[in-house]
Amino acid sequence: MKKRVNQLKNILVFSTLIIIALTTTSCKKEDEPKVFDMVAAQQAIDELNATYADAFTKGDASGVANCYTADAKFMPPNGEISEGSAAIKDVMSAFFENGAVKLEIKSVGLWGNEDILIQESTWAVYDKDGNERDHGKSLMTYKKEGDVWKIFRDCYNSNSNGDAPPPPPPSIETEKK
């Protein structure tokens, strides 16, 4: 009988160890909440803006348009909305026919989450001789296309302080006339 009691104790201890092992290893660890990395997002947007400014300075309409989502909207002051990266490329091509200019963009703030970002920035445009032609502010929204942040909405205006701002980029319809 004593042998039987020891066997039952061993079975009980063994069973308990198996149950403990199964419950600690088979319980799925709860996924930790995903934390959005705003620092990495700011870095990605800064890199995108540098790519944009570089393409703009080179007069590269395709390079500028590649910074926008396929369904983006470009909303310049005193001008019509251009919708889609192809239309934005056409507007930029017409704008660059007057000569490329240097563009500088500086982020003032970035807000959002993994779905959409909003950036407040300042900008300045310089002629080929380095003279400032205009400066202003903008609000831009970004969303991911694939795994890459791109411009979704682009709206800006001038700080001309009453001086006449430079004319908006010519529309495609004006160029065809």
Side-chain angles (χ1 to χ4, degrees), residues 36 38 110-119 140-144 149 152-153:
F36 181 65
M38 187 59 83
L110 184 70
W111 305 270
N113 56 39
E114 64 274 357
D115 296 321
I116 195 131
L117 295 170
I118 302 167
Q119 180 186 45
M140 298 171 74
T141 59
Y142 302 84
K143 71 176 185 175
K144 283 193 174 179
W149 287 105
F152 179 55
R153 296 292 186 263

Side-chain angles (χ1 to χ4, degrees), residues 18-32:
I18 289 176
I19 290 170
I20 290 171
L22 289 173
T23 58
T24 58
T25 60
S26 68
C27 287
K28 187 176 182 179
K29 185 178 178 183
E30 299 245 352
D31 291 334
E32 293 182 27

Side-chain angles (χ1 to χ4, degrees), residues 87-157:
I88 294 167
K89 177 184 173 188
D90 291 343
V91 166
M92 289 297 168
S93 292
F95 181 77
F96 294 143
E97 285 180 7
N98 296 325
V101 293
K102 181 179 180 189
L103 171 67
E104 290 181 353
I105 304 169
K106 294 180 184 166
S107 180
V108 175
L110 184 70
W111 305 270
N113 56 39
E114 64 274 357
D115 296 321
I116 195 131
L117 295 170
I118 302 167
Q119 180 186 45
E120 177 185 350
S121 61
T122 60
W123 55 268
V125 176
Y126 302 88
D127 65 20
K128 62 182 170 129
D129 298 322
N131 300 310
E132 184 178 286
R133 289 181 47 194
D134 197 12
H135 66 279
K137 65 263 185 205
S138 68
L139 283 176
M140 298 171 74
T141 59
Y142 302 84
K143 71 176 185 175
K144 283 193 174 179
E145 204 167 63
D147 290 336
V148 178
W149 287 105
K150 290 192 170 191
I151 302 166
F152 179 55
R153 296 292 186 263
D154 182 355
C155 185
Y156 67 96
N157 60 37

